[in-house]
Amino acid sequence: MHSPARRVAGMGSTIFAEMSALAVRTGAINLGQGFPDTDGPALILDSAVQAIRGGANQYAPGIGIPALRQAIARHQQRHYGIELDPDTQVTVTTGCTEAIAGALLGLVDPGDEVIVLEPSYDSYNAMIAFAGGVRRPVTLRAPDFRLDPAELAAAVSPRTRLLLLNSPHNPTGRVLDAGELGAVAEVAIEHDLLVVTDEVYEHLTFDGRAHVPISTLPGMAERTLTLSSAGKSYSVTGWKVGWATGPPELVAALTAAKQWLSYTSGAPLQPAVAAALDEAPDFPATLAVELQARRDELVAGLRGAGLATYSAQGTYFVTSDVADLGWSSGREFCLALPERAGVVAVPLEVFYDDPDGPGAGRHLVRWAFCKRPEVIADATRRLMAADLSNA
Ligand SMILES: *Cc1c(COP(=O)(O)O)cnc(C)c1O
């Protein structure tokens, strides 16, 4: 038997893959993995087909085709007033996932500390580890999942290199407010830290809340690398077209690592995403309105089923606490759920350094509401009819 490298030993497969496989195996409704069950706008799909027919089938430039980089720069201008040079301040990646990898491999040296919000999206921890960095989590705690500025300040050490931010936040659905963003900026400026911010849910905010990119705060543009992707905004999560924007030297550092990962990908998808950004700029806002209604329906259903549920300010996700129903572990709850109710959710414990720490997530599970209304209705009916208690 050949054993894997220490780098990956014990990593297993992601919890999303594990729970999606459980859904397939049991025929349960998959509210685990966050992907929509409808396509993005026809305009963008047609445009990709045309690009394939039109011969855009060979390597795109490593930093992405000019039309897409220009469209990304226009997007940042249109929504946030951010001015970018599309040739030096924008790079196209294989989804936001590769942008995260490129940012961490390109900016973190072995031994550098990286502050992350937890629960944290699982690729962050894997890539910090690949880079040889040391993770310093700052926990967002139920019920409101606020970022505590004092805890953030206390996480900084002389070895801190960067702050990895994510807002709107997966999995808690939290959108950081002006006070929290200001606190992050203050800490970053005081200690001269870099900020890498994952904003894939930038357009998926609810109840009139606006997403504010941290790079727009005074003193932040020069130290912030902003990451996003077409996947969530345009309901094309399988396309894996993402991007990073920011000061030329940070974009160059990311690109230096990224060129040895995929080098480039998605040649025919790149013009289609450019068309989406330019010609369907309102699609994401319309999607957010639909998602908000589905969030409300799912939250009502979960509460109706006896689950203590925290609503979301953005993203695809809401969170429930299963402790009141007698479960000591969200994982056990999720493993039992297909049989009990024919539904799959994802336990949050894997997104914490110490899921049993104060206010942490051993009992929390995440539900995705980015599904068709009839699917949400079916899932909530099943949950309400099921016995979910572990008495
Ligand atoms: C979905 C997701 C990603 C991955 O984006 P891709 O474009 O699919 O690679 C990154 N970060 C967060 C927080 C996500 O939820």
Side-chain angles (χ1 to χ4, degrees), residues 18-272:
E18 189 185 337
M19 291 295 152
S20 284
L22 180 66
V24 169
R25 206 159 60 238
T26 58
I29 298 179
N30 189 357
L31 300 187
Q33 199 171 13
F35 61 86
D37 54 1
T38 47
D39 278 335
L43 165 109
I44 158 170
L45 309 181
D46 292 344
S47 156
V49 172
Q50 267 171 31
I52 290 174
R53 296 264 180 236
N57 300 303
Q58 311 308 329
Y59 295 129
I63 60 171
I65 60 168
L68 178 53
R69 284 184 280 110
Q70 288 155 11
I72 292 164
R74 279 192 292 274
H75 171 274
Q76 295 302 94
Q77 213 295 321
R78 185 185 314 121
H79 290 282
Y80 311 118
I82 298 170
E83 300 289 346
L84 297 165
D85 174 354
D87 294 327
T88 59
Q89 298 191 270
V90 180
T91 198
V92 175
T93 56
T94 304
C96 184
T97 304
E98 191 189 44
I100 294 162
L104 292 169
L105 294 173
L107 294 169
V108 173
D109 275 317
D112 284 352
E113 293 183 3
V114 177
I115 296 176
V116 283
L117 307 183
E118 78 167 9
S120 45
Y121 186 65
D122 58 353
S123 88
Y124 302 163
N125 295 348
M127 291 317 307
I128 293 168
F130 281 8
V134 179
R135 179 163 94 242
R136 290 279 172 251
V138 174
T139 306
L140 306 180
R141 296 189 179 82
D144 51 14
F145 300 109
R146 290 190 63 80
L147 174 61
D148 179 344
E151 279 187 50
L152 175 65
V156 178
S157 88
R159 312 209 61 164
T160 308
R161 167 77 165 157
L162 74 77
L163 243 154
L164 180 48
L165 212 61
N166 170 219
S167 179
H169 182 256
N170 176 5
T172 67
R174 188 71 217 294
V175 178
L176 297 184
D177 65 22
E180 291 162 299
L181 291 175
V184 173
E186 204 177 301
V187 166
I189 291 168
E190 184 186 338
H191 299 279
D192 196 20
L193 306 178
L194 300 174
V195 173
V196 173
T197 170
D198 175 343
E199 304 187 354
V200 293
Y201 297 102
E202 60 187 317
H203 297 299
L204 306 185
T205 59
F206 311 133
D207 310 313
R209 238 174 229 96
H211 164 71
V212 177
I214 191 153
S215 76
T216 60
L217 271 61
M220 291 307 292
E222 59 265 39
R223 64 181 70 251
T224 302
L225 201 48
T226 302
L227 317 181
S228 194
S229 161
K232 308 292 165 46
S233 294
Y234 286 94
S235 298
V236 287
T237 60
W239 280 24
K240 304 292 281 189
V241 177
W243 51 85
T245 57
E249 71 278 9
L250 297 186
V251 170
L254 180 152
T255 307
K258 171 231 144 56
Q259 70 184 326
W260 306 117
L261 297 173
S262 66
Y263 179 59
T264 181
S265 67
L269 305 179
Q270 292 191 20

Side-chain angles (χ1 to χ4, degrees), residues 2-14 125-127 129-131:
H2 300 284
S3 54
R6 283 190 291 278
R7 186 178 304 118
V8 295
M11 276 186 176
S13 58
T14 80
N125 295 348
M127 291 317 307
F130 281 8

